[in-house]
């Protein structure tokens, strides 16, 4: 007989919580939820801004082209060096100075056409100009004896003198001969001077920046040799004034822009005092020098130079040879130069020293004499003039001696002897123990 299945139903087990358990459980759950909420808030408020900031930095580095990797040692060194050179806090670097003549300086073609040269001043805001008298490089004359074997100009013009010449912003003297291997000496002329073109390099050694060719020996070997002279000086890099291939070039000033100042140099010769001189004046079609026996063209040139510059130097070949006394033509023309606009007058030709004077506040040295020219023992010197935008700051006569085919710088008793001589022949000026001239 089959067994009957039990109809008894299985009841589910019921779990019952005691009342004493429920309250602690609810409190614990509430605290846990609260802590979770606080943790989530902390994550949003604190961690997310940090992540955003880091992302921004990286993005900025990418935008600036900087690598994401750590700096290399070289980069760290560069950063440290840059920090060392950084301007102090609160200070800005000074802006680069621009010359009042920057437009001209930026136009090389204009500067070349108008014979304008640029020089950086040794002392900002001031220009030092040094002037000397006659030089000669002709190997056929005694003056070259000390240099002929060595080809060293310091054997003739001593290093102490050269240092003063080289220290100037602009150094000018009278080049009283031609540079050429060609030409024919002027007939019946007692002395004719011509030097090898290669000797023009002596000018560079001496620190010469500009020469005058307005004299009575630049044309000694005729027009061909004069044109060779112009070419040689140009190739050597030495500007010239007072002669040219035609009258326009011969009378044209040379200008120097030094910092914020523009200085004009004009040169002319009164010698020779003849209607048909051996030294020919340039014409519209032929080479020659700029003559000023009739001074009308010279005064016109100075007036034009004064309009185009801040300071005008007139370098004039005049006077009577071997005479310290001034002649009537010098006394007549010097005031005319000043009235036309010259701010400084430098003279040469007499082969000896002549007085220093002053005309309406403009100093005039009528002759600097021989600088390095022949074998005679002669007192000579240089003039050093410092100017700024207000005019002449200082004017110094520097005593020298030409003797034994050398030119030396004088010191001590010999220096005082020459200064005393210059005081004795110069009126209206004072010359102190260092050669500084005041008026």
């Amino acid at each position: 007989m089959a067994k009957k299945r039990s109809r008894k139903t299985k009841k589910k087990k019921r779990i019952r919580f005691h009342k004493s358990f429920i309250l602690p459980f609810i409190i614990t759950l509430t605290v846990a939820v609260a802590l979770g909420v606080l943790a989530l808030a902390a994550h949003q408020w604190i961690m997310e801004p940090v992540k955003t900031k880091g992302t921004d930095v990286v993005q900025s580095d990418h935008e600036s082209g900087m690598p994401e990797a750590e700096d290399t040692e070289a980069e760290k060194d560069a950063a440290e060096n840059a920090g060392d050179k950084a301007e102090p806090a609160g200070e800005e670097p000074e802006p680069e100075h621009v010359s009042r003549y920057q437009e001209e300086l930026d136009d090389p073609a204009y500067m070349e056409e108008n014979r304008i040269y640029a020089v950086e001043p040794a002392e900002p805001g001031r220009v030092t100009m040094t002037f000397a008298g006659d030089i000669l490089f002709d190997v056929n004359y005694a003056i070259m004896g000390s240099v002929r074997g060595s080809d060293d100009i310091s054997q003739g013009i001593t290093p102490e003198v050269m240092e003063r010449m080289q220290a100037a912003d602009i150094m000018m003297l009278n080049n009283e001969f031609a540079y050429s291997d060609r030409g024919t000496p002027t007939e019946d002329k007692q002395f004719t001077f011509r030097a090898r073109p290669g000797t023009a390099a002596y000018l560079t050694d001496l620190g010469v920046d500009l020469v005058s060719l307005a004299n009575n020996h630049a044309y000694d070997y005729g027009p061909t040799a004069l044109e060779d002279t112009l070419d040689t000086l140009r190739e050597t890099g030495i500007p010239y004034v007072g002669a040219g291939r035609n009258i326009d070039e011969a009378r044209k000033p040379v200008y120097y822009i030094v910092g914020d100042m523009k200085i004009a140099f004009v040169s002319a010769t009164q010698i020779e005092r003849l209607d048909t001189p051996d030294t020919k004046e340039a014409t519209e079609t032929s080479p020659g020098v700029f003559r000023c026996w009739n001074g009308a063209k010279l005064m016109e040139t100075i007036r034009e130079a004064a309009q185009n510059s801040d300071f005008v130097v007139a370098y004039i070949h005049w006077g009577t040879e071997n005479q310290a006394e001034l002649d009537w033509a010098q006394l007549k023309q010097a005031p005319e130069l000043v009235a036309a606009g010259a701010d400084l007058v430098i003279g040469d030709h007499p082969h000896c020293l002549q007085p220093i004077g002053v005309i309406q506040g403009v100093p005039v040295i009528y002759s600097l004499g021989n600088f390095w020219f022949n074998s005679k023992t002669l007192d000579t010197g240089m003039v050093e003039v410092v100017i700024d935008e207000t005019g002449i700051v200082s004017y110094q006569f520097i005593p020298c001696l030409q003797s034994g085919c050398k030119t030396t710088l004088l010191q001590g008793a010999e220096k005082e002897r020459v200064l005393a001589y210059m005081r004795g022949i110069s009126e209206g000026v004072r010359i102190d123990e260092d050669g500084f001239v005041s008026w």
Side-chain angles (χ1 to χ4, degrees):
M1 182 175 144
K3 292 183 178 180
K4 288 185 179 180
R5 293 183 178 179
S6 174
R7 296 182 61 91
K8 188 177 180 178
T9 303
K10 188 176 182 179
K11 295 182 180 180
K12 293 182 179 179
K13 187 177 181 179
R14 298 180 64 184
I15 301 175
R16 295 183 178 181
F17 295 95
H18 196 277
K19 292 181 179 180
S20 62
F21 173 79
I22 294 173
L23 182 59
F25 175 77
I26 293 173
I27 293 172
T28 301
L29 180 62
T30 302
V31 170
V33 172
L35 290 174
V37 172
L38 289 173
L40 180 62
H43 178 78
Q44 293 293 327
W45 296 342
I46 298 174
M47 297 305 295
E48 285 302 319
V50 171
K51 288 183 178 180
T52 302
K53 181 178 180 180
T55 303
D56 290 343
V57 171
V58 173
Q59 182 178 3
S60 175
D61 287 345
H62 277 298
E63 291 173 353
S64 63
M66 295 294 290
E68 295 181 55
E70 292 183 4
D71 292 343
T72 65
E73 288 299 320
E75 290 169 336
K76 290 178 181 178
D77 290 342
E80 290 175 1
N81 291 335
D84 291 340
K85 296 178 182 178
E87 293 289 331
E91 293 185 14
E92 295 183 359
E94 294 184 4
E96 185 177 350
H97 179 73
V98 177
S99 171
R100 291 191 295 123
Y101 296 99
Q102 196 62 46
E103 185 175 351
E104 294 182 23
L105 293 170
D106 291 339
D107 191 341
Y110 178 86
M111 291 183 68
E112 182 176 2
E113 179 183 354
N114 291 278
R115 303 175 74 181
I116 304 171
Y117 301 86
V119 172
E120 284 295 323
E123 182 180 357
R126 292 191 171 190
V127 183
T128 300
M129 300 179 290
T130 301
F131 303 91
D134 309 331
I135 60 165
L136 178 61
F137 296 160
D138 191 329
V139 295
N140 296 308
Y141 288 84
I143 189 62
M144 288 290 287
S146 58
V147 175
R148 195 178 290 117
S150 65
D151 204 32
D152 180 2
I153 192 63
S154 69
Q155 298 299 311
I157 300 174
T158 60
E160 294 80 7
V161 178
M162 290 176 63
E163 287 176 10
R164 293 299 296 261
M165 299 170 72
Q166 293 164 352
D169 295 316
I170 304 169
M171 201 287 150
M172 181 181 185
L173 46 67
N174 177 45
N175 194 112
E176 192 138 349
F177 57 92
Y179 293 98
S180 182
D181 295 318
R182 304 191 297 165
T184 303
T186 301
E187 189 175 356
D188 297 328
K189 192 168 186 178
Q190 183 179 7
F191 298 106
T192 53
F193 304 136
R194 179 180 64 174
R196 293 181 294 106
T199 61
Y202 294 156
L203 297 173
T204 303
D205 296 339
L206 292 168
V208 175
D209 300 290
L210 174 65
V211 297
S212 170
L213 295 176
N215 55 61
N216 56 308
H217 287 288
Y219 198 87
D220 279 357
Y221 280 75
T224 300
L226 176 59
E227 290 187 297
D228 286 347
T229 301
L230 307 181
D231 291 338
T232 296
L233 290 170
R234 180 179 291 274
E235 291 166 3
T236 308
I238 303 294
Y240 56 84
V241 66
R245 292 173 177 79
N246 52 56
I247 188 59
D248 288 340
E249 182 182 3
R251 65 183 290 194
K252 198 167 191 175
V254 163
Y255 296 92
Y256 273 89
I257 295 176
V258 190
D260 264 349
M261 296 197 64
K262 188 177 183 182
I263 305 163
F265 295 84
V266 178
S267 189
T269 174
Q270 285 188 354
I271 313 301
E272 300 103 3
R273 302 172 180 182
L274 303 168
D275 291 335
T276 56
D278 291 331
T279 303
K280 304 300 182 185
E281 181 173 21
T283 69
E284 292 182 0
T285 57
S286 63
V289 300
F290 185 24
R291 286 175 52 80
C292 63
W293 181 238
N294 178 336
K297 289 181 182 177
L298 173 59
M299 304 312 153
E300 181 182 345
T301 301
I302 290 176
R303 284 192 289 270
E304 292 173 357
Q307 292 175 353
N308 294 315
S309 66
D310 303 300
F311 194 93
V312 179
V313 178
Y315 193 107
I316 309 299
H317 205 67
W318 57 6
T320 303
E321 289 188 2
N322 306 312
Q323 290 188 15
E325 295 79 14
L326 305 180
D327 68 29
W328 67 270
Q330 290 173 288
L331 293 170
K332 174 182 179 296
Q333 197 164 85
E336 295 173 350
L337 297 171
V338 173
D343 299 292
L344 178 67
V345 179
I346 305 291
D348 71 326
H349 172 68
H351 300 297
C352 63
L353 292 172
Q354 287 188 331
I356 299 172
V358 60
I359 301 172
Q360 298 178 17
V362 173
V364 180
I365 184 165
Y366 288 89
S367 175
L368 280 166
N370 287 351
F371 184 57
W372 191 67
F373 191 76
N374 58 28
S375 59
K376 295 181 179 180
T377 296
L378 292 170
D379 294 333
T380 182
M382 297 182 287
V383 165
E384 183 179 280
V385 181
V386 179
I387 65 173
D388 66 10
E389 61 183 6
T390 66
I392 294 176
V393 174
S394 68
Y395 183 109
Q396 184 182 21
F397 178 79
I398 304 167
C400 298
L401 182 70
Q402 174 195 271
S403 181
C405 299
K406 289 181 180 288
T407 297
T408 58
L409 197 65
L410 293 181
Q411 301 290 350
E414 279 294 285
K415 174 182 176 180
E416 177 54 32
R417 177 185 61 79
V418 176
L419 290 176
Y421 173 76
M422 293 301 291
R423 292 185 195 107
I425 64 173
S426 303
E427 297 182 0
V429 299
R430 296 176 297 279
I431 305 174
D432 72 10
E433 65 276 8
D434 293 316
F436 286 99
V437 181
S438 56
W439 51 89

